[in-house]
Amino acid sequence: MISFLTRKWMLCGVAAVMTSSAAVAQAQGYPDRAVTIVVPTTAGGTADILGRLLGKKLGDMWGQPVVVENRSGAGTQIGTEYAARAKPDGYTLMLTFNELATLSAVNKNTRVDVVRDFTRVGKIGSLPVVILGNPKMTANTMGELVKQLQAAPGKYTYSSGGPGSILHLYTEMFKQVAKVDMLHVPYRGALEASTALIAGEVDVLVQFANGNVINYVTSGKAKGYAVASPQRLTRLPDVPTTAEVGMPDLQLEAWYGLFAPAGLPNDLKQKINRDLIEVMKQPDIQERLATLNMQVQSGTSESFDAFFLNEHERWTKLIADAGIQGN
């Protein structure tokens, strides 16, 4: 005779098997309708370009439409909160960038817990970061720049995309490592921050090394002091790395990744990750990303999860130490 406790455990085991089988079946049949990729920024930016590029390829692979939906506003909070509240069934994904790792720390009123409310599906890649100077700055090397800034604390200025923006945080990290102080001049976005530098309104900018920024350096509109990457950039071969100029701990990147609401079944997460990796391997995708200066860094969802948690911890500490608050 089966005891009540034994029967209870048997039923629990059956339920677990049924749940697991249902998840596998869900992954195998996915998707059977349109998938939405939420991009929490306006159209035209790097995240939007990546969303549309990868969405088209995934749609071709899946035989279902993949629609990019821009939900911008309040930095990236509106789109991020929308994606976090979606059903974790794989039909709402979010393509975003490293500001997600800092969102909760910078914006105390946000209704999103960036660690608990999302599943990390896969990393896409990153843009290197370059330290720039106004052409009128007398310093021509990183060593000269640091000496110039250290000699006059608070005299020189730097631009950013606003309080708590990633450009603001990059520069705060640079200030800590270089032991310098500069006056923060916030603008309404990364593009305006770059424009301010080449117009001579500010002295220093720590910015993504996208095509436009690289052109600023090669055309002489800005001085390139160092790239915060392990290797020099092919398109800026004369600009040294931060390690080469004595700052090995200053490693910065603007990374991009694919997320889903928390609770996404593991089998479904793994399928989406595998399909994302396959898309990233396609030669035309690699060629297009190279034109954006994007370094492809696809990998497992587990490696992306560990990377994100490390990024969240690193930047949360800097934000607290520097007393940074967003708008």
Side-chain angles (χ1 to χ4, degrees), residues 116-197:
R116 292 187 303 183
D117 290 347
F118 286 102
T119 296
R120 272 67 68 181
V121 176
K123 191 178 183 184
I124 294 168
S126 69
L127 288 172
V129 171
V130 62
I131 300 166
L132 304 168
N134 183 310
K136 296 178 182 178
M137 291 285 283
T138 57
N140 291 313
T141 66
M142 177 60 82
E144 292 175 358
L145 175 66
V146 171
K147 289 181 180 178
Q148 188 172 342
L149 298 177
Q150 288 179 340
K155 174 183 175 180
Y156 296 97
T157 58
Y158 73 92
S159 58
S160 82
S165 69
I166 199 64
L167 300 188
H168 183 195
L169 301 182
Y170 285 161
T171 315
E172 287 297 324
M173 183 70 77
F174 166 64
K175 286 168 56 180
Q176 282 193 6
V177 173
K179 297 180 174 58
V180 299
D181 187 28
M182 294 182 288
L183 178 64
H184 180 206
V185 183
Y187 288 81
R188 291 183 295 179
L191 179 59
E192 288 193 14
S194 294
T195 302
L197 180 80

Side-chain angles (χ1 to χ4, degrees), residues 42-280:
T42 55
T46 303
D48 178 67
I49 292 172
L50 288 174
R52 295 179 190 280
L53 184 66
L54 299 178
K56 173 65 168 59
K57 289 291 187 177
L58 287 171
D60 291 344
M61 177 184 291
W62 291 338
Q64 296 290 343
V66 177
V67 181
V68 173
E69 186 173 329
N70 297 93
R71 286 184 171 263
S72 61
T76 58
Q77 286 189 77
I78 290 178
T80 300
E81 290 181 2
Y82 174 83
R85 305 295 177 245
K87 187 176 180 180
D89 57 5
Y91 289 93
T92 300
L93 305 173
M94 180 175 71
L95 196 154
T96 191
F97 48 105
N98 43 337
E99 285 202 19
L100 181 66
T102 66
L103 184 64
S104 300
V106 171
N107 302 281
K108 301 301 183 182
N109 295 324
T110 185
R111 293 171 289 182
V112 172
D113 184 314
V114 298
V115 173
R116 292 187 303 183
D117 290 347
F118 286 102
T119 296
R120 272 67 68 181
V121 176
K123 191 178 183 184
I124 294 168
S126 69
L127 288 172
V129 171
V130 62
I131 300 166
L132 304 168
N134 183 310
K136 296 178 182 178
M137 291 285 283
T138 57
N140 291 313
T141 66
M142 177 60 82
E144 292 175 358
L145 175 66
V146 171
K147 289 181 180 178
Q148 188 172 342
L149 298 177
Q150 288 179 340
K155 174 183 175 180
Y156 296 97
T157 58
Y158 73 92
S159 58
S160 82
S165 69
I166 199 64
L167 300 188
H168 183 195
L169 301 182
Y170 285 161
T171 315
E172 287 297 324
M173 183 70 77
F174 166 64
K175 286 168 56 180
Q176 282 193 6
V177 173
K179 297 180 174 58
V180 299
D181 187 28
M182 294 182 288
L183 178 64
H184 180 206
V185 183
Y187 288 81
R188 291 183 295 179
L191 179 59
E192 288 193 14
S194 294
T195 302
L197 180 80
I198 62 177
E201 297 174 10
V202 295
D203 302 307
V204 174
L205 171 64
V206 183
Q207 175 64 291
F208 315 137
N210 57 32
N212 288 336
V213 169
I214 288 175
N215 289 337
Y216 296 154
V217 177
T218 57
S219 66
K221 293 180 180 179
K223 290 185 177 182
Y225 291 118
V227 291
S229 302
Q231 295 87 30
R232 294 193 183 199
L233 304 184
T234 303
R235 294 177 62 188
L236 293 176
D238 296 329
V239 178
T241 66
T242 46
E244 289 175 318
V245 298
M247 298 180 185
D249 295 332
L250 186 61
Q251 296 290 315
L252 306 170
E253 63 177 351
W255 56 260
Y256 296 81
L258 194 65
F259 296 77
L264 183 73
N266 184 63
D267 289 303
L268 194 49
K269 177 182 69 174
Q270 298 300 339
K271 172 180 170 45
I272 298 171
N273 174 267
R274 289 192 300 269
D275 292 345
L276 176 65
I277 291 173
E278 283 303 309
V279 165
M280 300 289 289

Side-chain angles (χ1 to χ4, degrees), residues 8-22:
K8 180 178 179 181
W9 281 111
M10 289 175 64
L11 290 173
C12 288
V14 170
V17 170
M18 291 177 65
T19 300
S20 177
S21 299

